[in-house]
Amino acid sequence: MNKIEIRAFGGKSLGYVVEESNGNKKALDFGGKILGTYDKSTNTTRKFGGKIVAIGDVVSGFLLKDIDW
């Protein structure tokens, strides 16, 4: 498991992207809440509720507050 902290330009922590050994990823906010996931086997990114929002890996986009998923 690999946990990468994502920071804004000024250094403020936006959250984390956690990559599992099988290639799946989770976007977590600063408090640890799961915002979305990427499933490598289906090559899809989903919101926390399960709705597919993209084909491909865009899981780090969940940490950007300007995007309305």
Side-chain angles (χ1 to χ4, degrees):
M1 184 171 77
N2 189 16
K3 185 175 183 179
I4 302 168
E5 184 175 14
I6 307 298
R7 293 181 174 266
F9 181 71
K12 178 184 174 188
S13 179
L14 300 175
Y16 304 91
V17 173
V18 177
E19 184 173 4
E20 299 170 356
S21 60
N22 61 3
N24 293 343
K25 296 180 183 180
K26 296 178 191 174
L28 308 170
D29 69 8
F30 184 72
K33 177 184 171 191
I34 297 174
L35 303 173
T37 61
Y38 168 71
D39 183 346
K40 185 176 180 182
S41 66
T42 60
N43 194 32
T44 55
T45 300
R46 297 175 182 266
K47 288 172 56 167
F48 176 71
K51 179 183 174 187
I52 294 174
V53 296
I55 301 299
D57 179 5
V58 296
V59 75
S60 60
F62 287 111
L63 300 173
L64 304 174
K65 304 302 180 199
D66 296 340
I67 298 176
D68 184 24
W69 298 100

